[in-house]
């Protein structure tokens, strides 16, 4: 069974940092791209960042470039999202998702975690 479990969210002041984790299981981790997507209060889903181990590619939304860094620990089957210089606009539930097709950087999601809440407030 495929599982994606997010952790690391919490309350942080503007300008602070958090590191989110996504622990993956139930599939060959190295073969699939992983994406971070967020949903702010009262808003729709927004794609944040993606990573593919096979091509060593990373991608970022314009709103987080220079502040967020995505990475993996293949030995732990875990994807991380390091978030620095956080703004109130970053407040959202953050989800990790699995790319549906092996060897593709993006095209569609087939599994989602339950999300972790990030709140940026003074």
């Amino acid at each position: 069974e495929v599982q994606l479990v997010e952790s690391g969210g919490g309350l942080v002041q503007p300008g602070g940092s958090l590191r989110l984790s996504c622990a993956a299981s139930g599939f060959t981790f190295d073969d699939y791209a992983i994406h971070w997507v967020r949903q702010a209060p009262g808003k729709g889903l927004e794609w944040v960042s993606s990573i593919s181990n096979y091509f060593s590619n990373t991608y970022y939304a314009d709103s987080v470039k220079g502040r967020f860094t995505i990475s993996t620990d293949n030995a732990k089957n875990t994807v991380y999202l390091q978030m620095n210089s956080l703004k109130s606009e970053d407040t959202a539930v953050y989800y990790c998702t699995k790319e549906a097709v092996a060897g593709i950087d993006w095209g569609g999601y087939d599994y989602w975690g339950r999300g972790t809440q990030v709140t940026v407030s003074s």
Side-chain angles (χ1 to χ4, degrees):
E1 179 182 353
V2 173
Q3 288 190 324
L4 300 167
V5 182
E6 302 95 335
S7 62
L11 176 65
V12 64
Q13 294 183 341
S17 298
L18 286 173
R19 189 179 75 163
L20 305 184
S21 298
C22 174
S25 61
F27 63 97
T28 304
F29 181 75
D30 292 347
D31 291 346
Y32 292 86
I34 299 293
H35 316 276
W36 286 97
V37 179
R38 67 187 181 186
Q39 186 168 32
K43 305 295 183 180
L45 293 169
E46 179 189 16
W47 169 78
V48 176
S49 184
S50 300
I51 189 165
S52 59
N53 287 322
Y54 37 88
F55 292 136
S56 299
N57 289 335
T58 59
Y59 307 89
Y60 299 94
D62 288 342
S63 60
V64 305
K65 285 181 180 177
R67 300 189 298 120
F68 291 11
T69 303
I70 191 169
S71 62
T72 63
D73 185 336
N74 292 339
K76 297 180 179 179
N77 287 357
T78 298
V79 179
Y80 302 100
L81 186 68
Q82 178 66 47
M83 306 185 296
N84 298 327
S85 301
L86 283 163
K87 306 173 181 179
S88 60
E89 300 96 303
D90 296 317
T91 295
V93 177
Y94 284 72
Y95 302 92
C96 62
T97 69
K98 171 183 170 290
E99 179 61 49
V101 179
I104 299 295
D105 280 10
W106 52 39
Y109 316 126
D110 58 0
Y111 292 93
W112 296 66
R114 293 184 179 183
T116 185
Q117 176 71 50
V118 172
T119 302
V120 184
S121 177
S122 59

